Amino acid sequence: MISEKKKAIIHTSYKKAILYSIVHIAPIAICISLIVINAVGRYVGPDLSYISGLWTPTYTLALLQFAAKLLDLLVAGSLTTIVFQLVWHQMVHGDGLSLTLMVSPFSFMKLGYFFSRSVWIGTLGSPRPWLRILFVLYILLFGLITLIVGPASALLLIPRPVDQPIYNPAFWLNGTSDDLWPVNLTSAHIGDFVQAQNNETCNLSASISNVGCVSMGYPKILNFFSSMPGFFFRDWELVMHEPKLMRVIGGKEPTVNTPSEETWAFAPHMATALRQWQLWWDPSWFFKFNSNGRSSTVNSNMTAVRTVCLQHNVTTDTTVIDFPDLKEFETYTYNGSLSTTLGPNAFGQDGPGFKDPDIVKTVWINNTDGVFTAKLIIMEAMANTSSSIRSILACAVDARWAQASSQQSDRYLNAAISTRALDERPFKLPKKSYTSPVETQDHAFLPKNGSWLRITADLDFLNALTPVVPYLSPTLSLTKPASTISNIFMSMDYRIIPLTKYMLNYNYNFYETAVSTLVADGISRIGYSRQLESTIFYANGTNYAPDNQIQQIIKSGPPPDAENFTKMQLDGNLLGIYAFKARAPTDFGAIAILALYIVIATIHTAHTIFRRRTLSAWQRLEDFAALLINSPQAPLALGDTCSGIECAATRAKAARIVVVGHGSTEGGVGSRHKDIEDSGGLEEQKEMECLGEEEVQLIFVEEAANGSRSLGRVEPDVKYGKLD
């Protein structure tokens, strides 16, 4: 026969308290390590095999998943220990617990457990129900942490592809902010490079091939529009192969059935793009190229231009034309126009220029009111010279310097430099409203914080932007030269249809897109030639030596006359580098879960060691079953339950663990005070029976109130066992 020894239920020993808390040490240490690594950042390499260098990415991923599951089990074991101590503390020292809450150490990791009605009914009928509710909330919190900690640890333990900062040189652009991004454009801004000889050459047809002139982008833009159909998608891109770099001009056209009628084009700042392109080839990071690629970003300004056109039929007597009214901070809709009085012979009404059957004519109108950047009239080529009416488009052009990031990646168009506004609200579609043309929230859509500065331009700049050049298309044999923008329109033989038909099946987006693109490209070239004038390129943190074509020397900044330069910062990254790095909201959520567990486990460890009290009994299901078997029957509390429990109220009945009989300390035998009613007779007989026992039992509160037992509390360091 196997004989069990007496056992102490509660221990008061530092050694046992420390041993009891060891279960928390490993998961706490691992969780702290994961949080620190992901907060600080630890880069691994282009693939997961760089973690160990021994296994393939597949085996490495499997190993990391196994480690995440192991941490999940460690945390679950740690929290289970805490739940056990909470439960038995309530059972031994508290007001007791219901049957459902009593088995919570074995069930709290199942989410369905907390949807049981008996769990919440068990909070009732207690002398202190708030304490019982708090207990249930604690168990619920531990259960949720146990369920979530597995995915959370996997998120932090498995590296994610991120962009690794590796190259961040500072560089200086030649010119102040007023030189590079002027808001009042005049003849002083049409070209200032030494190859241009002087600014006058940028007014001639030769300017379209001169790197120092704002009209140099015309041949590429003409080729782009000549090869396009008479419509565009919502978003489009034009790759500009410049002599010393590549960049991308983008555009957005209005979508059908939306209130907005604006067509946008935007271009990277050429001066910024030049230096960014040069630094792209710096050997100090170019040779660190990996299979996933590189990227670079510079915060600068981009040119953003919107154009809206209205169709009119005019005669030689027309003196007033309505242009679209582009408010500074509002989306344009059909209901806004601005009347403008034309000067004498504004487009040759009194001469042969009005009746021209060959060319599309464009005329910039003096923008004296300055409410937006420019006004442009586009006159369609006449079908015959006998007509006295000519169809025109009256276009309003609104150009901005918008704060943007100049971006470059060898994943995108062979590292061509593109741009993206930091505040993209102007490009978002306004929403329809049943009460007004545009919802109030979207109506004043252009930022008022100075990040989208409006540009004005005089006629000298605009005419230099669109000089008169020979028609370049081989498909038409025209003898009369026309402006660059007229050539673009004629390249597709596009027609200006009257407004009534336009409303049904036609639009002017093609014209608006061409105007926006040409203006955006020209303005973005301001300041570019200034960078080519100097023989010195000032930059820090780079080993780049420019090619012979540029003939510039790299020197560390700042420049001696720094007040005449503008400092910029480039951020270079290796793309798709696996790293332990918290960036996404899910990463920070995972960190919060692990941090919450660390706090709970640390508090429990400190409390256990400080009080030196540990409970070693009933940590396994068979121990709990033995306690139930050795406890007396409870006919009052558990009547008719031998075949199971159906009533939630029965599961909610509270029970406690109490002492029946005497106990012995670890150093000897101790005595226990018994609260026994001295009434003689039967009560004395029951007392004698109790003195023959020395055990702990599970007693329902309802049964204990019957007074049939003499009950005491479990004491520390006292050994309990059955006495024969």
Side-chain angles (χ1 to χ4, degrees):
M1 177 179 179
I2 300 175
S3 177
E4 287 281 346
K5 296 181 180 180
K6 298 179 181 180
K7 305 172 188 66
I9 297 172
I10 301 174
H11 303 278
T12 56
S13 164
Y14 277 122
K15 179 180 178 181
K16 290 185 179 294
I18 294 173
L19 292 175
Y20 190 81
S21 302
I22 284 180
V23 68
H24 301 314
I25 294 177
I28 287 178
I30 296 174
C31 289
I32 291 176
S33 301
L34 277 179
I35 291 175
V36 172
I37 291 175
N38 281 272
V40 175
R42 176 71 172 84
Y43 294 95
V44 176
D47 58 62
L48 295 179
S49 64
Y50 283 74
I51 294 179
S52 63
L54 299 177
W55 298 291
T56 64
T58 302
Y59 289 137
T60 303
L61 179 60
L63 183 62
L64 292 173
Q65 290 174 333
F66 175 78
K69 182 60 180 178
L70 181 60
L71 177 59
D72 183 15
L73 296 176
L74 290 174
V75 172
S78 171
L79 291 176
T80 301
T81 300
I82 299 176
V83 174
F84 265 117
Q85 185 158 351
L86 287 176
V87 168
W88 301 128
H89 181 272
Q90 288 296 313
M91 295 291 293
V92 173
H93 299 293
D95 300 327
L97 292 175
S98 66
L99 285 174
T100 312
L101 297 180
M102 200 182 306
V103 297
S104 57
F106 309 102
S107 306
F108 80 101
M109 289 183 284
K110 301 175 183 177
L111 189 60
Y113 169 72
F114 296 97
F115 291 95
S116 172
R117 190 163 62 98
S118 57
V119 170
W120 300 99
I121 291 180
T123 61
L124 305 177
S126 171
R128 293 176 291 180
W130 63 268
L131 189 61
R132 192 77 59 79
I133 294 174
L134 185 62
F135 173 83
V136 174
L137 293 178
Y138 274 134
I139 303 301
L140 175 61
L141 175 63
F142 298 158
L144 291 176
I145 292 176
T146 306
L147 292 174
I148 299 174
V149 75
S153 60
L155 279 175
L156 299 180
L157 192 58
I158 299 176
R160 287 81 68 197
V162 298
D163 297 342
Q164 179 185 3
I166 195 173
Y167 181 68
N168 58 341
F171 62 94
W172 283 260
L173 295 179
N174 186 3
T176 64
S177 59
D178 291 335
D179 297 327
L180 300 170
W181 304 288
V183 293
N184 299 307
L185 306 183
T186 65
S187 59
H189 303 104
I190 64 177
D192 51 3
F193 183 47
V194 291
Q195 293 182 6
Q197 302 295 326
N198 54 64
N199 285 343
E200 293 179 359
T201 60
C202 288
N203 286 315
L204 305 177
S205 61
S207 64
I208 63 175
S209 59
N210 195 316
V211 73
C213 299
V214 293
S215 59
M216 186 195 172
Y218 160 72
K220 298 178 180 62
I221 296 174
L222 172 67
N223 181 67
F224 175 74
F225 282 95
S226 298
S227 60
M228 293 296 292
F231 63 90
F232 285 82
F233 296 104
R234 168 68 182 166
D235 301 327
W236 55 268
E237 294 174 335
L238 164 59
V239 180
M240 300 288 286
H241 293 267
E242 308 286 354
K244 296 174 175 60
L245 71 151
M246 284 197 306
R247 64 187 185 123
V248 180
I249 298 177
K252 292 180 178 291
E253 291 197 349
T255 301
V256 179
N257 298 325
T258 60
S260 175
E261 279 302 303
E262 297 175 334
T263 300
W264 283 93
F266 39 91
H269 187 231
M270 279 280 288
T272 304
L274 172 66
R275 297 310 188 198
Q276 187 175 2
W277 181 266
Q278 290 174 320
L279 293 173
W280 179 259
W281 307 104
D282 183 354
S284 63
W285 80 305
F286 176 75
F287 291 110
K288 293 183 179 180
F289 175 85
N290 68 89
S291 58
N292 297 319
R294 298 179 298 151
S295 71
S296 70
T297 303
V298 178
N299 284 337
S300 180
N301 289 312
M302 74 176 188
T303 308
V305 179
R306 59 173 172 165
T307 301
V308 179
C309 297
L310 295 178
Q311 188 271 337
H312 300 284
N313 293 325
V314 300
T315 67
T316 55
D317 297 327
T318 302
T319 58
V320 178
I321 294 180
D322 289 338
F323 287 86
D325 187 10
L326 300 184
K327 301 293 186 182
E328 185 171 7
F329 301 110
E330 296 181 7
T331 300
Y332 176 78
T333 54
Y334 292 116
N335 59 350
S337 62
L338 183 68
S339 296
T340 299
T341 301
L342 304 178
N345 295 321
F347 38 71
Q349 296 99 319
D350 298 331
F354 184 80
K355 296 185 177 183
D356 193 331
D358 293 328
I359 65 172
V360 174
K361 187 174 183 179
T362 57
V363 180
W364 293 104
I365 302 300
N366 192 13
N367 191 21
T368 54
D369 46 27
V371 292
F372 39 80
T373 305
K375 300 173 183 176
L376 175 68
I377 292 179
I378 305 171
M379 305 172 63
E380 184 186 28
M382 299 186 70
N384 57 76
T385 57
S386 62
S387 175
S388 60
I389 299 176
R390 191 161 185 174
S391 184
I392 71 165
L393 290 180
C395 301
V397 181
D398 184 19
R400 308 287 182 116
W401 287 119
Q403 294 179 6
S405 61
S406 182
Q407 302 173 340
Q408 186 178 22
S409 170
D410 46 17
R411 288 183 177 179
Y412 175 70
L413 297 177
N414 296 320
I417 296 172
S418 60
T419 188
R420 182 173 182 175
L422 300 183
D423 189 337
E424 293 191 300
R425 282 182 294 170
F427 300 143
K428 295 180 179 179
L429 292 176
K431 299 178 181 178
K432 287 186 176 181
S433 172
Y434 295 103
T435 57
S436 61
V438 182
E439 290 184 1
T440 304
Q441 180 180 358
D442 298 291
H443 196 54
F445 74 102
L446 278 164
K448 299 180 181 180
N449 56 8
S451 61
W452 281 68
L453 293 177
R454 173 169 273 183
I455 300 171
T456 61
D458 63 15
L459 289 179
D460 290 336
F461 178 85
L462 296 171
N463 288 324
L465 178 64
T466 57
V468 175
V469 296
Y471 190 63
L472 300 181
S473 174
T475 60
L476 294 177
S477 56
L478 300 177
T479 58
K480 297 178 182 178
S483 69
T484 55
I485 197 166
S486 297
N487 277 292
I488 293 174
F489 296 146
M490 290 186 291
S491 67
M492 287 200 63
D493 192 25
Y494 221 56
R495 294 295 177 183
I496 302 175
I497 306 299
L499 188 61
T500 54
K501 294 182 180 179
Y502 155 69
M503 294 293 293
L504 296 175
N505 57 4
Y506 203 81
N507 60 54
Y508 305 130
N509 293 351
F510 175 81
Y511 290 93
E512 296 168 345
T513 302
V515 173
S516 295
T517 303
L518 198 67
V519 174
D521 173 73
I523 296 178
S524 71
R525 295 177 182 273
I526 296 175
Y528 170 64
S529 58
R530 297 176 67 93
Q531 313 312 310
L532 304 180
E533 289 179 337
S534 175
T535 59
I536 300 175
F537 172 23
Y538 291 97
N540 291 339
T542 176
N543 297 324
Y544 176 61
D547 54 45
N548 295 330
Q549 183 184 12
I550 298 178
Q551 295 293 333
Q552 289 181 324
I553 301 173
I554 293 284
K555 284 191 176 181
S556 297
D561 51 343
E563 66 278 4
N564 296 322
F565 287 76
T566 300
K567 185 178 180 180
M568 310 292 286
Q569 184 73 44
L570 182 143
D571 296 320
N573 299 281
L574 294 181
L575 302 178
I577 298 298
Y578 282 88
F580 298 98
K581 182 69 174 178
R583 290 190 176 183
T586 52
D587 297 335
F588 293 107
I591 288 177
I593 294 297
L594 296 190
L596 179 60
Y597 161 73
I598 292 172
V599 171
I600 293 172
T602 303
I603 291 176
H604 180 262
T605 301
H607 180 268
T608 300
I609 295 176
F610 176 76
R611 296 200 62 194
R612 297 181 301 159
R613 290 202 171 197
T614 56
L615 186 145
S616 60
W618 311 302
Q619 300 293 306
R620 293 175 296 274
L621 192 59
E622 56 267 29
D623 297 340
F624 186 55
L627 172 66
L628 295 177
I629 294 172
N630 283 284
S631 298
Q633 293 184 352
L636 295 179
L638 298 179
D640 299 324
T641 60
C642 60
S643 58
I645 301 176
E646 290 184 354
C647 183
T650 303
R651 293 188 178 93
K653 291 184 176 182
R656 290 182 59 248
I657 293 176
V658 296
V659 174
V660 179
H662 296 287
S664 60
T665 63
E666 293 185 358
V669 178
S671 61
R672 179 175 305 284
H673 174 71
K674 300 293 182 181
D675 296 326
I676 304 173
E677 296 182 6
D678 188 11
S679 58
L682 181 62
E683 307 301 338
E684 294 180 0
Q685 183 179 356
K686 289 182 178 179
E687 178 183 358
M688 296 301 295
E689 292 176 356
C690 292
L691 291 176
E693 299 176 347
E694 185 186 54
E695 61 180 4
V696 289
Q697 295 179 347
L698 183 70
I699 303 295
F700 279 87
V701 174
E702 185 176 350
E703 301 286 345
N706 191 34
S708 60
R709 289 274 174 170
S710 176
L711 310 176
R713 291 198 177 263
V714 178
E715 297 293 337
D717 300 326
V718 175
K719 294 182 178 180
Y720 296 94
K722 181 75 173 178
L723 288 180
D724 297 329

